[in-house]
């Protein structure tokens, strides 16, 4: 489509531009080569945190989508901690697996990413089996 010429009676067109302050505080005109700077804000989920000296299932933790879930385990404890996932409000909880192998199962203190969720109905739980001690846990993003 050819450009539209300026129509009479005006012999000019008012130019409008979007700009922002660059790192030095100078005006920077937005263009294809210099796009408007934006910052992606991530949704946050309330952490699942606490401590226990007994066996049990703790949760739910409703992760924000497309962000890594970090698990921190500390304290002096013996036993097993598994991260399990549900898509039906906790009625059915399945262990996390990768290529059919157990994933996110721990027998000692840890601090690492354990899962990235992409399904909005999913919730995570900690399935804790303790034989002794006190476990301090935190599942967060």
């Amino acid at each position: 489509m050819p450009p539209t010429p300026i129509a009479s009676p005006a012999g000019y067109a008012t130019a409008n531009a979007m700009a922002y302050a660059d790192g030095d505080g100078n005006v920077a005109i937005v263009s294809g080569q210099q796009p408007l700077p934006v910052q992606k804000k991530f949704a946050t989920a309330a952490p699942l945190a606490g401590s226990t000296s007994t066996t049990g299932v703790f949760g739910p933790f409703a992760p924000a989508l497309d962000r890594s879930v970090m698990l921190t385990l500390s304290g002096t404890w013996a036993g097993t901690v598994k991260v399990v996932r549900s898509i039906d409000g906790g009625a059915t909880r399945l262990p996390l697996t990768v290529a059919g192998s157990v994933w996110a199962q721990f027998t000692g203190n840890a601090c690492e990413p354990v899962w990235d969720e992409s399904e909005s109905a999913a919730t995570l739980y900690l399935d804790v089996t303790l034989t002794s001690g006190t476990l301090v846990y935190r599942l967060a993003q």
Side-chain angles (χ1 to χ4, degrees):
M1 174 179 248
T4 303
I6 298 173
S8 294
Y12 63 91
T14 303
N16 292 307
M18 183 177 281
Y20 62 94
D22 66 12
D24 297 325
N26 299 316
V27 67
I29 304 296
V30 174
S31 68
Q33 294 73 35
Q34 191 168 318
L36 186 65
V38 295
Q39 180 180 12
K40 187 173 183 178
K41 294 287 186 176
F42 292 105
T44 58
L48 171 65
S51 64
T52 185
S53 297
T54 62
T55 293
V57 176
F58 302 91
F61 173 71
L65 300 181
D66 302 321
R67 294 193 51 215
S68 294
V69 175
M70 293 293 296
L71 174 66
T72 304
L73 302 174
S74 61
T76 304
W77 60 281
T80 303
V81 176
K82 292 185 279 189
V83 180
V84 294
R85 181 179 181 267
S86 177
I87 57 169
D88 60 7
T92 306
R93 294 184 299 266
L94 300 171
L96 300 182
T97 59
V98 173
S101 296
V102 175
W103 181 259
Q105 180 171 308
F106 302 87
T107 57
N109 291 339
C111 181
E112 62 185 74
V114 293
W115 194 248
D116 285 359
E117 187 54 63
S118 61
E119 189 171 352
S120 62
T123 51
L124 301 176
Y125 297 79
L126 295 179
D127 186 348
V128 177
T129 304
L130 288 182
T131 56
S132 67
T134 300
L135 168 70
V136 179
Y137 60 85
R138 187 170 194 273
L139 203 54
Q141 293 178 300

